[in-house]
Amino acid sequence: QLQLQESGPGLMKPSETLSLTCTVSGGSISSSNYYWVWVRQPPGKGLEWIGTIYYSGGVYYNPSLKSRATISVDASRNQFSLNMNTVAAADTAVYFCVGEGRGRYYFDWWGQGSLVTVSS
Amino acid sequence: QSALTQPRSVSGSPGQSVTISCTGTSSDVGVYNYVSWYQQYPGKAPKLTIFDVSKRPSGVPDRFSGSKSGNTASLTISGLQAEDEADYYCCSYAGTYTWVFGGGTKVSVL
């Protein structure tokens, strides 16, 4: 059973670069059995898919983020990360890291979420 | 890529049935049978409730059911219970390794 745990800055200023890390346990980040996903949820609002990284290395992003997001994997630490540049107040949200089973078109395993607040 | 459309809220009395609609387009819900539903309690992570339109993960009560017609998917909760009061989100595969969520529906048990 996969377990995921986000870690992040908490509070940021506008125009800074957001860096979030997800530590995975119960499975290998390099396994072909999983895909790794970021989803966010602004306070009081709905869920938004940010992007997915596949074991093959392919990465796909939500077009609405206009190339501000980058997802990567650190196999040595069994972690994957989200970087998002030039943040604004609209990026204030709870960020969830998610595991998706290979060939399963749904999101099985969720981290508890990390609140990131962007404020001057 | 626009969010799927869900009603903001639905409500019902214990024991009744409620249905939540999730309307997409011919590029997502209408063409793929990869609609999933997630239940979310306040301050908690979403939990998978339905996948592949109508399949239930182990441990999810059979009072939860899903269906799809055209560009609209639906989640029905039969025999509504107090513990079902939560937010529910639909999600659809939208092709080319992309995903789209609905805006969420708050289910209230009267």
Side-chain angles (χ1 to χ4, degrees):
Chain A
Q1 182 78 343
L2 282 182
Q3 291 187 315
L4 298 90
Q5 177 68 59
E6 306 88 349
S7 57
L11 181 63
M12 302 181 63
K13 295 186 183 303
S15 80
E16 291 183 335
T17 296
L18 166 66
S19 292
L20 282 163
T21 297
C22 181
T23 301
V24 177
S25 57
S28 171
I29 198 82
S30 301
S31 170
S32 61
N33 292 326
Y34 309 110
Y35 309 145
W36 308 107
V37 184
W38 286 99
V39 173
R40 70 179 180 178
Q41 183 173 36
K45 297 188 178 181
L47 301 167
E48 179 181 34
W49 173 76
I50 297 172
T52 300
I53 186 165
Y54 292 84
Y55 67 90
S56 62
V59 192
Y60 297 85
Y61 300 100
N62 189 324
S64 70
L65 294 172
K66 298 180 180 177
S67 303
R68 293 194 297 127
T70 302
I71 298 174
S72 59
V73 164
D74 184 342
S76 66
R77 298 185 176 186
N78 223 42
Q79 296 175 334
F80 67 105
S81 299
L82 169 68
N83 283 353
M84 187 178 300
N85 59 38
T86 322
V87 297
D91 294 311
T92 294
V94 175
Y95 286 76
F96 295 99
C97 60
V98 183
E100 177 188 349
R102 180 183 179 184
R104 300 179 181 179
Y105 288 76
Y106 49 90
F107 304 128
D108 300 68
W109 303 281
W110 294 71
Q112 65 184 28
S114 177
L115 175 62
V116 175
T117 302
V118 181
S119 175
S120 55
Chain B
Q1 189 186 57
S2 299
L4 306 177
T5 301
Q6 297 181 233
R8 292 290 297 268
S9 63
V10 298
S11 62
S13 299
Q16 289 186 329
S17 293
V18 295
T19 296
I20 303 168
S21 60
C22 169
T23 301
T25 69
S26 56
S27 297
D28 39 60
V29 175
V31 68
Y32 298 105
N33 287 323
Y34 297 133
V35 176
S36 50
W37 290 87
Y38 301 85
Q39 177 191 62
Q40 186 181 35
Y41 293 112
K44 300 295 186 181
K47 172 192 169 188
L48 179 68
T49 304
I50 292 287
F51 66 95
D52 293 354
V53 175
S54 60
K55 299 177 182 177
R56 277 190 316 276
S58 60
V60 173
D62 61 5
R63 63 178 183 275
F64 290 89
S65 62
S67 63
K68 190 185 85 167
S69 177
N71 295 341
T72 299
S74 299
L75 173 71
T76 297
I77 310 174
S78 305
L80 196 62
Q81 298 186 7
E83 66 205 56
D84 300 332
E85 185 161 294
D87 294 325
Y88 293 82
Y89 293 90
C90 62
C91 180
S92 176
Y93 182 65
T96 323
Y97 307 102
T98 64
W99 298 88
V100 61
F101 281 94
T105 299
K106 179 176 178 59
V107 171
S108 298
V109 181
L110 303 175

